[in-house]
Amino acid sequence: MGHHRKALRTTAVGAVSATLVAGGVLGLTPTAQAASAVRFVDITGDGGITLKANVITPEGADGTRRYPLLVLPTSWGFPQVEYLAQAQKLANSGYVVVSYNVRGFWQSGGEIEVAGPPDTADASKVIDWALGHTPADARHIGMAGVSYGAGISLIAAAHDKRIKAVASLSGWADLIGSIYSGRTQHVQAAALLDGVSLVTGRQSPEARQVFNDFYASNLAKEQDLINWGKKRSAATYVDQLNKNGAAVMMANAWGDTVFPPNQYADFYEKLTGPKRLEFRPGDHATAELTGLFGLPNDVWTDTERWFDHYLKGEDNGIDREEPVRLKSRSTGGYEGYPDWKSVAATERKIALAGTTTIHTNVDSGADGGIVFLSSILDQVAQVPPVASIPLLPRRWAAVWQSEKYATAQQIRGTAELHTTVTPTKESGTLVAYLYDVGPLGLGKLVSNAPYTFHGLTPGKPFSLGLDLFSTAYDVPAGHRLALVVDTVDPLYIEHNPSGAQLTFSSPANDPSYVSIPLREQ
């Protein structure tokens, strides 16, 4: 594990270097020079720490009128110039924009609390400062951010009822459901975050301990980890958020390897106020990236429209559009739905017949890819991770396939695996993959998800229900779907004792299947 983490941290340093280059470019974009000058300021945060921030006011603001306020907390490991291009655009259209470096990173004081209570308090302190030092209107306040800034914005809106609108881009609503889904550590994602924070910030002792316990698979600390994550999840405060009535827009990518789309969709369904949910191809924060350079970008365009309606009162029609907006990984167009449940109009089950036993601790070749890189390839070139289904070794991989489809199958939503598993050990990990298989047997990854169990009785069957990560993917006519299950994937920590085996069966009174969600044809 030590060498594995060291390699991942090396990758993280490269990612930070790219961030610094991006920050330098952002400062030079033509858009960034078009409006009022940027003021760099110090804001006193919770506990008296200093938050480094920048402020842009509409050109010509002379103190005779008030403007809607937008507060933008930075992403994990990004410098405070991250949003400069977008902030200038927003200021040009009539907003006071305050962007601040979150505590523990770069020149801001304090330590990294991972969206803990001090971060929530900081957001309110920034609002206080803006109301006292800029022509900001206390009645029209919004927050937005990418990634870390997205998560902080959602939580802050639940705690500060002055926040009337939020745009949460590539963020999380359930931290544990993101990096510990299926009771499995998403180790590449966690190590990348860890590495970036070690290079660009100062971890609090609590954050360092959480990372260490996470890597060590310390079951004695599992409930502590869950409690820590709940405190940092907007899902915990959804009732407060609904009571406050903030208008919430959320956008994410289908292939987000840090914050998978399922947890966003689940949270969206629990919101009762004005809301919007957008999913596009890509990986973590890649859908918003071009907008950070001031280039045309659908996510940022919709973000500005969202604030224009809910903070300025503009009748731009965004409130009358279908609130769930998707772009398939296979096509270029957008699809609108009245709610998340309507995304999958019907379901088709693929029977997982027979009894299959696989051995553990060997990677079969079916994998979810590499954090960031794989889903970026899918976004740019529609090239997801692939595997030759006929060549997968059946000793280490269980494989079931559908018949060839006569017509294209438009998968939309969340596929579900239901099966019966008999382990030979009390603990174990399995990873399920859904593939689009072409005529030559080459499978393109449609979705996947891990699952880990502990404390079970060896030899005793148990029923497993596992939601794969939500997606939108079109299977061409003449292709088939394949479900593959193995036990090792570099994205995750696996918990299979040496010599363990897993048997999958389909009892007559509880048949095994994978349920495929399909758009109305």
Side-chain angles (χ1 to χ4, degrees), residues 54-76:
N54 57 69
V55 184
I56 311 177
T57 54
E59 192 170 13
D62 57 6
T64 61
R65 58 167 292 193
R66 295 283 170 177
Y67 300 88
L69 168 66
L70 290 179
V71 175
L72 311 178
T74 52
S75 301
W76 186 269

Side-chain angles (χ1 to χ4, degrees), residues 188-439:
Q188 281 193 13
L192 184 62
L193 295 173
D194 186 10
V196 167
S197 66
L198 289 173
V199 174
T200 63
R202 301 165 302 282
Q203 295 178 357
S204 68
E206 182 185 32
R208 181 67 260 157
Q209 189 60 52
V210 165
F211 275 118
N212 291 342
D213 291 340
F214 186 86
Y215 296 133
S217 306
N218 187 347
L219 285 180
K221 296 285 188 175
E222 183 180 37
Q223 191 57 52
D224 291 342
L225 172 69
I226 292 171
N227 294 340
W228 175 88
K230 283 184 176 179
K231 187 183 293 186
R232 290 157 171 81
S233 298
T236 302
Y237 314 108
V238 66
D239 291 342
Q240 276 179 252
L241 186 58
N242 286 333
K243 182 179 179 181
N244 290 350
V248 178
M249 172 183 156
M250 300 187 296
N252 203 0
W254 293 119
D256 195 319
T257 44
V258 181
F259 304 127
N262 297 48
Q263 47 92 31
Y264 248 18
D266 292 344
F267 181 71
Y268 175 84
E269 289 290 274
K270 297 173 184 175
L271 293 173
T272 58
K275 58 183 180 178
R276 183 179 178 92
L277 179 66
E278 301 184 353
F279 285 129
R280 298 172 174 85
D283 205 312
H284 184 60
T286 62
E288 300 87 6
L289 184 61
T290 57
L292 294 179
F293 290 86
L295 301 174
N297 180 278
D298 289 351
V299 186
W300 285 104
T301 297
D302 286 348
T303 295
E304 185 170 353
R305 292 176 63 225
W306 189 253
F307 287 131
D308 285 348
H309 179 74
Y310 287 103
L311 295 184
K312 288 184 179 180
E314 291 186 5
D315 185 14
N316 56 18
I318 197 167
D319 58 318
R320 296 188 295 275
E321 296 173 359
E322 300 276 32
V324 176
R325 190 168 171 84
L326 313 180
K327 180 182 278 190
S328 168
R329 293 162 50 199
S330 309
T331 60
Y334 283 99
E335 303 164 5
Y337 300 88
D339 50 43
W340 176 250
K341 297 187 296 291
S342 301
V343 170
T346 186
E347 294 185 349
R348 177 174 294 176
K349 291 182 178 180
I350 301 172
L352 309 180
T355 299
T356 303
T357 298
I358 61 172
H359 296 251
T360 64
N361 297 307
V362 173
D363 189 341
S364 71
D367 287 323
I370 300 172
V371 66
F372 282 119
L373 298 181
S374 297
S375 291
I376 291 174
L377 279 173
D378 188 35
Q379 175 184 359
V380 174
Q382 294 185 3
V383 180
V386 298
S388 175
I389 304 304
L391 297 182
L392 290 175
R394 274 26 178 199
R395 178 179 176 84
W396 295 292
V399 181
W400 299 267
Q401 297 193 71
S402 71
E403 298 298 321
K404 288 183 180 179
Y405 294 113
T407 59
Q409 305 294 299
Q410 295 181 312
I411 299 175
R412 299 290 186 275
T414 309
E416 179 191 0
L417 168 63
H418 178 80
T419 189
T420 296
V421 184
T422 305
T424 59
K425 305 289 185 179
E426 67 172 15
S427 295
T429 296
L430 59 89
V431 186
Y433 309 89
L434 186 65
Y435 284 100
D436 161 25
V437 185

